[in-house]
Coordinates of all heavy atoms in Angstrom, one line a residue:
M1 N 135.8 42.6 52.5 CA 135.2 41.5 53.3 C 133.6 41.7 53.4 O 132.9 40.9 53.3 CB 135.7 41.4 54.8 CG 137.1 40.7 54.7 SD 136.9 38.9 54.1 CE 136.5 38.2 55.7
A2 N 133.4 42.9 53.7 CA 131.8 43.4 53.9 C 131.2 43.2 52.6 O 130.0 42.7 52.6 CB 131.7 44.8 54.3
R3 N 131.8 43.6 51.5 CA 131.1 43.3 50.2 C 130.9 41.9 49.9 O 129.8 41.4 49.5 CB 132.0 44.0 49.1 CG 131.1 44.6 48.0 CD 132.0 45.4 47.0 NE 132.8 46.4 47.5 CZ 134.1 46.4 47.4 NH1 134.8 45.4 46.8 NH2 134.9 47.3 48.0
K4 N 131.9 41.1 50.1 CA 131.8 39.7 49.9 C 130.7 39.2 50.6 O 130.0 38.1 50.1 CB 133.2 39.1 50.2 CG 133.4 37.6 50.0 CD 134.6 37.0 50.5 CE 134.7 35.6 50.5 NZ 135.8 35.0 51.3
H5 N 130.5 39.5 51.8 CA 129.5 38.9 52.8 C 128.2 39.7 52.8 O 127.3 39.4 53.6 CB 130.0 38.7 54.1 CG 131.3 37.8 54.2 ND1 131.2 36.4 54.1 CD2 132.6 38.0 54.2 CE1 132.3 35.8 54.0 NE2 133.2 36.8 54.2
G6 N 128.1 40.6 51.9 CA 126.9 41.4 51.8 C 126.6 42.2 53.0 O 125.4 42.4 53.4
R7 N 127.6 42.6 53.7 CA 127.4 43.6 54.9 C 127.6 45.0 54.6 O 128.1 45.4 53.5 CB 128.4 43.1 56.0 CG 128.5 41.7 56.4 CD 127.3 41.3 57.2 NE 127.2 39.9 57.3 CZ 127.6 39.2 58.5 NH1 128.1 39.9 59.5 NH2 127.4 38.0 58.5
D8 N 127.1 45.8 55.6 CA 127.0 47.1 55.4 C 128.1 47.7 56.4 O 128.0 47.5 57.5 CB 125.6 47.6 55.7 CG 125.4 49.2 55.4 OD1 126.4 49.6 54.7 OD2 124.5 49.7 55.8
V9 N 129.1 48.4 55.9 CA 130.2 48.9 56.8 C 129.9 50.5 57.2 O 129.6 51.2 56.3 CB 131.5 48.7 56.1 CG1 132.6 49.4 57.0 CG2 131.9 47.4 55.9
R10 N 129.9 50.7 58.4 CA 129.6 52.0 58.9 C 130.8 52.4 59.8 O 130.8 51.9 60.9 CB 128.3 52.2 59.4 CG 127.2 51.9 58.6 CD 125.8 51.9 59.3 NE 124.8 51.3 58.4 CZ 123.8 52.0 58.0 NH1 123.6 53.3 58.6 NH2 122.9 51.5 57.3
P11 N 131.7 53.3 59.3 CA 132.8 53.6 60.3 C 132.3 54.5 61.4 O 131.3 55.3 61.2 CB 133.8 54.4 59.4 CG 133.3 54.3 57.9 CD 131.8 53.8 58.0
V12 N 132.7 54.0 62.7 CA 132.3 54.9 63.8 C 133.4 55.4 64.5 O 134.5 54.6 64.8 CB 131.4 53.8 64.7 CG1 131.0 54.6 66.1 CG2 130.2 53.3 64.0
H13 N 133.4 56.6 64.9 CA 134.5 57.0 65.8 C 134.5 56.3 67.1 O 133.6 56.4 67.9 CB 134.3 58.6 65.9 CG 135.7 59.3 66.3 ND1 136.3 59.1 67.6 CD2 136.5 60.0 65.6 CE1 137.4 59.8 67.5 NE2 137.6 60.3 66.4
P14 N 135.7 55.7 67.4 CA 135.8 54.9 68.6 C 135.9 55.7 69.9 O 135.7 55.1 71.0 CB 136.9 53.9 68.3 CG 137.8 54.7 67.5 CD 136.9 55.7 66.6
A15 N 136.2 56.9 69.8 CA 136.5 57.6 71.1 C 135.3 57.7 72.0 O 134.2 57.9 71.6 CB 137.0 59.1 70.8
H16 N 135.5 57.4 73.3 CA 134.5 57.6 74.3 C 133.4 56.6 74.2 O 132.3 56.8 75.0 CB 133.9 59.0 74.3 CG 135.0 60.0 74.5 ND1 135.8 60.1 75.5 CD2 135.4 61.1 73.6 CE1 136.7 61.1 75.4 NE2 136.4 61.7 74.2
T17 N 133.5 55.6 73.4 CA 132.4 54.6 73.4 C 132.1 53.9 74.7 O 131.0 53.5 75.0 CB 132.5 53.6 72.2 OG1 133.8 53.1 72.4 CG2 132.2 54.2 70.9
T18 N 133.1 53.8 75.5 CA 132.9 53.1 76.8 C 132.5 54.2 77.9 O 132.1 53.8 78.9 CB 134.2 52.4 77.4 OG1 135.3 53.1 76.9 CG2 134.3 51.1 76.7
M19 N 132.5 55.5 77.5 CA 132.2 56.5 78.5 C 130.8 57.0 78.3 O 130.2 57.7 79.1 CB 133.0 57.6 78.5 CG 134.5 57.2 78.9 SD 135.7 58.5 78.6 CE 135.1 59.7 79.7
D20 N 130.2 56.8 77.1 CA 128.8 57.3 76.8 C 127.7 56.4 77.2 O 128.0 55.2 77.1 CB 128.8 57.7 75.3 CG 129.7 58.9 74.8 OD1 130.2 59.6 75.8 OD2 129.5 59.2 73.6
C21 N 126.7 57.0 77.7 CA 125.6 56.1 78.1 C 124.7 55.7 76.8 O 124.4 56.6 76.1 CB 124.7 56.8 79.2 SG 123.2 55.9 79.5
A22 N 124.5 54.4 76.6 CA 123.6 54.1 75.4 C 122.2 54.5 75.6 O 121.6 54.5 74.5 CB 123.8 52.6 75.2
H23 N 121.8 54.8 76.8 CA 120.4 55.1 77.0 C 120.3 56.7 76.9 O 119.3 57.1 76.1 CB 120.0 54.8 78.4 CG 119.8 53.3 78.5 ND1 118.5 52.7 78.3 CD2 120.7 52.3 78.6 CE1 118.7 51.4 78.5 NE2 119.9 51.2 78.6
C24 N 121.0 57.6 77.6 CA 120.7 59.0 77.5 C 122.0 59.8 76.8 O 121.9 61.0 76.6 CB 120.6 59.5 78.8 SG 121.9 59.4 79.9
M25 N 123.0 59.0 76.2 CA 124.1 59.6 75.6 C 124.8 60.5 76.4 O 125.7 61.3 75.9 CB 123.7 60.3 74.2 CG 123.1 59.2 73.2 SD 124.0 57.6 73.1 CE 125.4 58.2 72.0
T26 N 124.7 60.5 77.7 CA 125.5 61.4 78.5 C 126.9 60.7 78.7 O 127.1 59.6 78.8 CB 125.0 61.5 79.9 OG1 123.7 61.9 80.0 CG2 125.9 62.3 81.0
R27 N 127.9 61.6 78.7 CA 129.4 61.1 78.7 C 129.7 61.1 80.2 O 129.5 62.2 81.1 CB 130.2 62.1 78.0 CG 131.7 61.5 78.0 CD 132.6 61.9 76.9 NE 131.9 61.4 75.6 CZ 132.0 61.9 74.4 NH1 132.9 62.9 74.2 NH2 131.4 61.4 73.4
A28 N 130.3 60.0 80.6 CA 130.7 59.9 82.1 C 131.9 60.7 82.2 O 132.6 61.0 81.4 CB 131.1 58.4 82.4
K29 N 132.0 61.2 83.5 CA 133.1 62.2 83.9 C 134.5 61.4 83.7 O 135.4 62.0 83.4 CB 132.9 62.6 85.3 CG 131.7 63.5 85.5 CD 131.9 65.0 85.2 CE 130.7 65.7 85.5 NZ 129.5 65.4 84.7
H30 N 134.4 60.1 84.1 CA 135.7 59.4 84.0 C 135.6 58.0 83.3 O 134.5 57.4 83.4 CB 136.2 59.2 85.6 CG 136.3 60.4 86.4 ND1 137.4 61.2 86.2 CD2 135.5 61.0 87.3 CE1 137.2 62.2 87.0 NE2 136.1 62.0 87.7
A31 N 136.6 57.6 82.7 CA 136.5 56.3 82.0 C 136.4 55.2 83.1 O 136.9 55.4 84.3 CB 137.9 56.1 81.2
L32 N 135.7 54.2 82.7 CA 135.5 53.1 83.7 C 136.9 52.4 83.7 O 137.4 52.1 82.8 CB 134.5 52.2 82.9 CG 133.4 51.6 83.8 CD1 132.6 52.5 84.6 CD2 132.5 50.8 82.9
P33 N 137.3 52.0 84.9 CA 138.5 51.2 85.1 C 138.3 49.8 84.3 O 137.2 49.4 84.2 CB 138.7 50.9 86.6 CG 137.7 51.7 87.2 CD 136.7 52.3 86.2
L34 N 139.4 49.3 83.8 CA 139.1 48.1 82.9 C 138.6 46.8 83.6 O 137.9 46.0 83.2 CB 140.4 47.6 82.0 CG 140.7 48.2 80.8 CD1 142.0 47.8 80.3 CD2 139.6 47.8 79.9
G35 N 138.9 46.9 85.0 CA 138.4 45.8 85.8 C 137.0 45.9 86.1 O 136.3 45.0 86.5
E36 N 136.4 47.1 85.9 CA 134.9 47.3 86.2 C 134.1 46.9 84.8 O 134.3 47.6 83.8 CB 134.7 48.7 86.5 CG 133.3 49.1 86.8 CD 132.7 48.3 87.9 OE1 133.2 48.3 89.1 OE2 131.7 47.6 87.7
R37 N 133.5 45.8 85.0 CA 132.7 45.2 83.8 C 131.4 45.8 83.7 O 130.7 45.5 82.5 CB 132.8 43.7 83.8 CG 134.1 43.2 84.1 CD 135.2 43.6 83.1 NE 134.9 43.4 81.7 CZ 135.5 44.0 80.6 NH1 136.5 44.8 80.9 NH2 135.2 43.7 79.5
T38 N 130.8 46.5 84.6 CA 129.4 47.1 84.4 C 129.5 48.5 84.3 O 130.2 49.2 85.1 CB 128.6 46.4 85.6 OG1 128.8 45.1 85.8 CG2 127.1 46.8 85.4
Y39 N 128.8 49.0 83.4 CA 128.6 50.5 83.2 C 127.4 50.9 83.9 O 126.3 50.3 83.7 CB 128.5 50.7 81.7 CG 128.3 52.2 81.4 CD1 129.4 53.0 81.1 CD2 127.0 52.8 81.5 CE1 129.2 54.4 80.8 CE2 126.9 54.2 81.1 CZ 128.0 54.9 80.8 OH 127.8 56.2 80.6
T40 N 127.5 51.8 84.8 CA 126.3 52.5 85.5 C 126.3 53.9 85.2 O 127.3 54.7 85.4 CB 126.4 52.2 87.0 OG1 126.7 50.8 87.2 CG2 125.1 52.6 87.7
C41 N 125.2 54.3 84.6 CA 125.2 55.8 84.2 C 124.7 56.6 85.4 O 123.7 56.3 86.1 CB 124.0 56.0 83.1 SG 123.8 57.7 82.6
T42 N 125.4 57.6 85.7 CA 125.1 58.5 86.8 C 124.1 59.4 86.6 O 123.5 60.1 87.5 CB 126.4 59.3 87.3 OG1 126.9 60.0 86.1 CG2 127.5 58.4 87.9
T43 N 123.7 59.5 85.3 CA 122.6 60.4 84.9 C 121.3 59.9 84.9 O 120.2 60.3 85.5 CB 122.9 61.2 83.5 OG1 124.1 61.7 83.6 CG2 121.8 62.2 83.2
C44 N 121.1 58.7 84.1 CA 119.8 58.0 84.1 C 119.7 56.7 84.9 O 118.6 56.2 85.0 CB 119.4 57.9 82.6 SG 120.3 56.5 81.8
G45 N 121.0 56.3 85.4 CA 120.8 55.1 86.3 C 120.7 53.8 85.5 O 120.7 52.8 86.1
A46 N 121.0 54.0 84.1 CA 121.0 52.7 83.4 C 122.3 52.0 83.6 O 123.5 52.3 84.0 CB 121.2 53.1 81.9
V47 N 122.1 50.6 83.8 CA 123.1 49.7 84.2 C 123.2 48.6 83.1 O 122.2 48.0 82.8 CB 122.8 49.0 85.5 CG1 124.0 48.0 85.8 CG2 122.8 50.0 86.6
S48 N 124.4 48.4 82.5 CA 124.5 47.4 81.4 C 126.0 46.9 81.5 O 126.8 47.6 81.8 CB 124.1 47.7 80.2 OG 124.7 49.0 79.7
P49 N 126.2 45.7 80.9 CA 127.6 45.3 80.8 C 128.4 46.3 80.0 O 127.9 46.7 78.9 CB 127.5 43.9 80.2 CG 126.2 43.4 80.5 CD 125.4 44.7 80.5
R50 N 129.6 46.6 80.3 CA 130.3 47.7 79.6 C 130.4 47.5 78.2 O 130.2 48.4 77.4 CB 131.6 48.0 80.3 CG 132.7 46.9 80.0 CD 134.0 47.3 80.7 NE 134.7 48.3 79.8 CZ 135.6 49.1 80.4 NH1 135.9 49.1 81.7 NH2 136.2 50.0 79.6
D51 N 130.7 46.3 77.7 CA 130.9 46.0 76.2 C 129.5 46.1 75.5 O 129.5 46.6 74.4 CB 131.3 44.5 76.1 CG 132.8 44.4 76.6 OD1 133.5 45.5 76.7 OD2 133.2 43.2 76.8
K52 N 128.4 45.8 76.2 CA 127.1 45.8 75.6 C 126.8 47.4 75.5 O 126.2 47.8 74.4 CB 126.1 45.2 76.4 CG 124.9 44.7 75.6 CD 124.1 43.7 76.5 CE 123.8 42.4 75.5 NZ 123.0 41.5 76.2
N53 N 127.2 48.2 76.5 CA 126.8 49.6 76.5 C 127.6 50.2 75.3 O 127.0 51.0 74.5 CB 127.3 50.2 77.8 CG 127.0 51.7 77.8 OD1 125.8 52.2 77.9 ND2 127.9 52.5 77.7
S54 N 128.9 49.9 75.2 CA 129.7 50.4 74.2 C 129.2 50.1 72.8 O 129.2 50.8 71.7 CB 131.2 50.4 74.3 OG 131.4 49.2 75.0
A55 N 128.8 48.8 72.7 CA 128.3 48.3 71.3 C 127.1 49.1 71.0 O 126.8 49.5 69.8 CB 128.0 46.8 71.5
R56 N 126.2 49.4 71.9 CA 125.0 50.2 71.7 C 125.3 51.6 71.2 O 124.8 52.2 70.4 CB 124.1 50.3 72.8 CG 123.4 48.9 73.1 CD 121.9 49.3 73.7 NE 121.2 48.0 73.7 CZ 121.1 47.2 74.8 NH1 121.8 47.6 75.9 NH2 120.4 46.0 74.7
V57 N 126.3 52.1 71.9 CA 126.7 53.5 71.6 C 127.2 53.6 70.2 O 127.0 54.5 69.4 CB 127.8 54.1 72.5 CG1 128.5 55.4 72.1 CG2 127.3 54.1 74.0
M58 N 128.0 52.5 69.7 CA 128.5 52.5 68.4 C 127.4 52.3 67.4 O 127.3 52.9 66.3 CB 129.5 51.4 68.2 CG 130.8 51.6 69.0 SD 132.0 50.3 68.6 CE 132.2 49.8 70.3
L59 N 126.4 51.5 67.7 CA 125.2 51.4 66.8 C 124.5 52.6 66.7 O 124.0 53.0 65.5 CB 124.3 50.3 67.4 CG 124.7 48.8 67.2 CD1 123.7 47.9 67.9 CD2 124.8 48.4 65.8
I60 N 124.3 53.3 67.7 CA 123.5 54.6 67.6 C 124.4 55.6 66.8 O 123.8 56.2 66.0 CB 123.4 55.1 69.1 CG1 122.3 54.3 69.7 CG2 122.8 56.5 68.9 CD1 122.3 54.5 71.4
R61 N 125.7 55.6 67.0 CA 126.6 56.6 66.2 C 126.5 56.3 64.7 O 126.6 57.1 63.9 CB 128.0 56.5 66.7 CG 128.3 57.3 68.0 CD 129.7 57.3 68.2 NE 129.8 57.7 69.6 CZ 131.0 57.9 70.2 NH1 132.0 57.7 69.5 NH2 131.2 58.3 71.4
A62 N 126.4 55.0 64.5 CA 126.2 54.6 63.0 C 124.9 54.8 62.5 O 124.7 54.5 61.3 CB 126.7 53.0 62.9
G63 N 124.0 55.3 63.2 CA 122.7 55.6 62.7 C 121.8 54.5 62.7 O 120.8 54.4 62.1
L64 N 122.2 53.4 63.4 CA 121.3 52.2 63.4 C 120.5 52.2 64.8 O 121.0 52.6 65.8 CB 122.2 50.9 63.3 CG 123.0 50.8 62.1 CD1 124.0 49.7 62.2 CD2 122.2 50.6 60.9
C65 N 119.4 51.6 64.7 CA 118.6 51.5 66.0 C 119.0 50.2 66.6 O 118.9 49.2 66.0 CB 117.1 51.5 65.6 SG 116.2 51.3 67.2
P66 N 119.5 50.3 67.9 CA 120.0 49.0 68.5 C 118.9 48.2 69.0 O 119.2 46.9 69.4 CB 120.9 49.5 69.6 CG 120.3 51.0 70.0 CD 119.9 51.3 68.6
A67 N 117.6 48.6 69.0 CA 116.6 47.8 69.6 C 116.4 46.6 68.7 O 116.2 46.7 67.5 CB 115.2 48.7 69.5
G68 N 116.4 45.4 69.3 CA 116.1 44.2 68.6 C 117.2 43.8 67.7 O 117.1 42.9 66.8
A69 N 118.4 44.4 67.9 CA 119.5 44.0 66.9 C 120.3 42.8 67.5 O 121.0 42.3 66.9 CB 120.5 45.2 66.9
E70 N 119.8 42.4 68.8 CA 120.5 41.3 69.4 C 120.4 39.9 68.7 O 119.1 39.6 68.4 CB 120.2 41.1 70.9 CG 121.3 41.7 71.7 CD 120.7 41.8 73.2 OE1 120.5 40.9 73.8 OE2 120.4 43.1 73.4
G71 N 121.3 39.3 68.3 CA 121.1 37.9 67.7 C 120.7 38.1 66.3 O 120.3 36.9 65.8
V72 N 120.6 39.2 65.6 CA 120.1 39.2 64.3 C 121.3 39.2 63.3 O 122.3 40.0 63.5 CB 119.3 40.5 64.1 CG1 118.9 40.7 62.7 CG2 118.1 40.3 65.0
R73 N 121.3 38.4 62.4 CA 122.3 38.4 61.4 C 121.6 39.0 60.1 O 120.4 38.7 59.8 CB 122.7 37.0 61.2 CG 123.6 36.4 62.2 CD 124.0 35.0 61.9 NE 124.7 34.9 60.8 CZ 126.0 34.7 60.7 NH1 126.6 34.5 61.8 NH2 126.6 34.5 59.6
P74 N 122.4 39.5 59.3 CA 121.9 40.1 58.0 C 121.6 38.8 57.2 O 122.2 37.7 57.3 CB 123.0 40.9 57.3 CG 124.2 40.8 58.2 CD 123.9 40.0 59.4
P75 N 120.7 39.0 56.1 CA 120.3 37.7 55.2 C 121.5 37.3 54.7 O 122.5 38.1 54.2 CB 119.3 38.4 54.3 CG 119.4 39.8 54.4 CD 120.0 40.2 55.8
E76 N 121.6 35.9 54.4 CA 122.7 35.3 53.6 C 122.9 35.9 52.4 O 121.9 36.1 51.6 CB 122.5 33.7 53.7 CG 122.6 33.1 55.0 CD 124.0 33.1 55.6 OE1 125.0 33.0 54.9 OE2 124.1 33.4 56.8
P77 N 124.2 36.2 51.9 CA 124.3 36.6 50.6 C 124.0 35.5 49.6 O 124.1 34.3 49.9 CB 125.8 36.9 50.5 CG 126.4 36.1 51.7 CD 125.4 36.0 52.7
P78 N 123.5 35.8 48.3 CA 123.2 34.7 47.4 C 124.3 33.8 47.2 O 125.5 34.1 47.1 CB 122.8 35.5 46.1 CG 123.2 36.8 46.3 CD 123.5 37.1 47.7
A79 N 124.1 32.5 47.1 CA 125.2 31.6 46.9 C 125.9 31.7 45.6 O 125.2 32.0 44.7 CB 124.6 30.2 47.0
R80 N 127.3 31.6 45.7 CA 128.0 31.8 44.4 C 127.9 30.5 43.6 O 128.0 29.5 44.0 CB 129.5 32.2 44.7 CG 129.6 33.7 44.3 CD 131.1 34.0 44.5 NE 131.5 33.8 46.0 CZ 132.8 34.0 46.3 NH1 133.7 34.3 45.4 NH2 133.1 33.7 47.5
V81 N 127.7 30.7 42.2 CA 127.5 29.6 41.4 C 128.9 29.2 40.8 O 129.6 30.1 40.4 CB 126.5 29.9 40.2 CG1 126.4 28.7 39.2 CG2 125.2 30.4 40.6
A82 N 129.3 28.1 41.1 CA 130.6 27.6 40.7 C 130.7 27.7 39.1 O 129.8 27.2 38.5 CB 130.9 26.1 41.2
A83 N 131.8 28.2 38.6 CA 131.7 28.4 37.1 C 132.6 27.1 36.5 O 133.3 26.7 37.1 CB 132.5 29.7 36.7
Ligands
ZN101 ZN1 122.3 57.4 81.0

């Protein structure tokens, strides 16, 4: 799928992505209860929606810079010519 759509696949280990802070990469002592939708870092005080925080952690783990990644799509792959 990634090849077809011209995307770059970077496997990321999923463990602890909801527990790590996307700002200072400190691991929280306890997992956030699922009902708690906001991640607050006890070390640097960063506050962000939990899904956004874990998404950033995954981007950082994949070696990508999450800055400015919001709402950005990779360029469209070249249109396929019908044979
Ligand atoms: Zn932090």
